């Protein structure tokens, strides 16, 4: 019975990694589409959201089966319940990547230097998402804590982007609408960082039984 349970947990880990990788890819494609004004890539990001939603449902189903049909010990129970919480954050990451793609399509390929700063912000958020999923699979509390600390870097990128956009609006009022769209994109990346932080907090809970966000 335990061997079967361990196999199911292993499959859960694989699916979590796969869903995390899909989130990373969507964020990276959104950043690339913004920088290059690539409408086709932005449309691809928008279509990828269907896969994220499907993965969420599949993982949720697996977690519920593990809870209902097995008898998990306390640590296993924490891991499964943490996974249920984490997939909600990952699904929202996918949603926000789609939102970024929608704005890019609305911009119609318009780009400028401020997008470079947002690109760096995107790289920082991708690292947070990647490391948070790795921390879950490896049960690595130190890595999860590093993800939480890394959120300060994403927040700093957001503040720098906001300052740059304020200066842009002051210097080029005619570009004000575009500048505000860029600010919204930066805000979505900042929220993705928040979701990665949530994931890391649930990793810590799954290992220690203590939720840092509580």
């Amino acid at each position: 019975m335990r061997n079967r349970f361990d196999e199911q947990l292993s499959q859960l880990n694989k699916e979590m990694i796969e869903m995390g990788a899909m989130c990373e890819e969507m964020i990276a494609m959104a950043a690339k589409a913004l920088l290059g004004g690539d409408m086709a890539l932005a449309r691809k990001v928008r279509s990828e959201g269907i896969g994220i939603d499907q993965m969420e449902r599949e993982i949720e189903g697996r977690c519920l089966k593990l809870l209902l049909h097995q008898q998990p010990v306390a640590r296993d129970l924490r891991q499964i319940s943490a996974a249920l919480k984490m997939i909600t954050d990952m699904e929202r990451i996918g949603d926000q990547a789609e939102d970024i793609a929608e704005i890019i399509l609305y911009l119609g390929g318009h780009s400028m230097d401020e997008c470079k700063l947002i690109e760096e912000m995107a790289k920082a958020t991708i690292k947070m998402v990647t490391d948070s999923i790795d921390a879950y699979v490896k049960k690595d509390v130190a890595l999860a804590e590093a993800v939480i600390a890394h959120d300060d870097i994403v927040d700093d990128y957001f503040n720098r982007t906001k300052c740059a956009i304020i200066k842009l609006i002051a210097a080029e009022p005619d570009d004000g609408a575009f500048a505000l769209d860029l600010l919204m994109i930066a805000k979505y990346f900042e929220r993705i960082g928040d979701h990665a932080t949530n994931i890391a907090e649930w990793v810590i809970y799954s290992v220690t039984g203590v939720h840092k966000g509580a």
Side-chain angles (χ1 to χ4, degrees):
M1 181 69 75
R2 180 68 205 189
N3 288 341
R4 175 62 178 164
F5 182 77
D6 288 339
E7 288 174 5
Q8 291 293 314
L9 277 182
S10 178
Q11 184 60 33
L12 173 61
N13 285 344
K14 290 177 182 177
E15 290 172 354
M16 294 288 288
I17 293 170
E18 183 180 348
M19 188 174 181
M22 291 171 70
C23 290
E24 295 164 32
E25 183 180 11
M26 286 183 70
I27 302 166
M29 287 193 300
K32 186 176 180 180
L34 174 65
L35 193 65
D38 190 330
M39 299 297 97
L41 192 56
R43 283 189 287 271
K44 184 177 180 182
V45 172
R46 192 172 56 179
S47 66
E48 289 289 317
I50 298 172
I52 292 283
D53 293 342
Q54 182 177 346
M55 283 295 299
E56 181 190 24
R57 290 190 295 271
E58 290 175 357
I59 293 173
E60 183 180 44
R62 184 175 299 280
C63 287
L64 293 176
K65 286 178 182 177
L66 283 168
L67 292 172
L68 292 172
H69 301 304
Q70 305 291 339
Q71 294 181 331
V73 297
R75 181 164 179 167
D76 294 332
L77 184 60
R78 292 198 304 268
Q79 183 178 354
I80 296 165
S81 60
L84 282 168
K85 295 288 188 179
M86 291 164 62
I87 58 174
T88 298
D89 280 296
M90 284 195 281
E91 190 273 336
R92 289 175 181 169
I93 288 171
D95 285 346
Q96 283 155 3
E98 288 183 73
D99 290 335
I100 291 168
E102 288 286 353
I103 295 175
I104 294 168
L105 291 170
Y106 175 76
L107 294 176
H110 192 175
S111 184
M112 60 170 52
D113 291 341
E114 282 72 15
C115 295
K116 292 283 189 179
L117 189 57
I118 296 175
E119 181 188 25
E120 293 303 313
M121 186 179 182
K123 290 178 182 177
T125 59
I126 291 169
K127 176 175 173 58
M128 289 183 70
V129 173
T130 301
D131 288 350
S132 64
I133 301 301
D134 284 348
Y136 169 79
V137 173
K138 297 173 183 176
K139 300 179 176 60
D140 190 333
V141 171
L143 183 57
E145 289 176 341
V147 171
I148 294 170
H150 200 76
D151 191 46
D152 289 339
I153 295 174
V154 172
D155 289 343
D156 180 63
Y157 273 123
F158 176 69
N159 290 329
R160 288 165 58 193
T161 301
K162 183 166 61 176
C163 289
I165 287 173
I166 289 171
K167 291 178 181 178
L168 170 65
I169 293 173
E172 301 288 344
D174 290 343
D175 274 333
F178 172 65
L180 290 175
D181 284 331
L182 283 185
L183 182 60
M184 183 60 70
I185 288 173
K187 185 62 179 175
Y188 281 132
F189 279 122
E190 189 266 341
R191 288 177 181 171
I192 288 171
D194 289 342
H195 287 304
T197 297
N198 291 343
I199 291 170
E201 289 174 350
W202 284 111
V203 169
I204 293 170
Y205 166 78
S206 72
V207 177
T208 68
V210 177
H211 187 254
K212 295 195 70 171

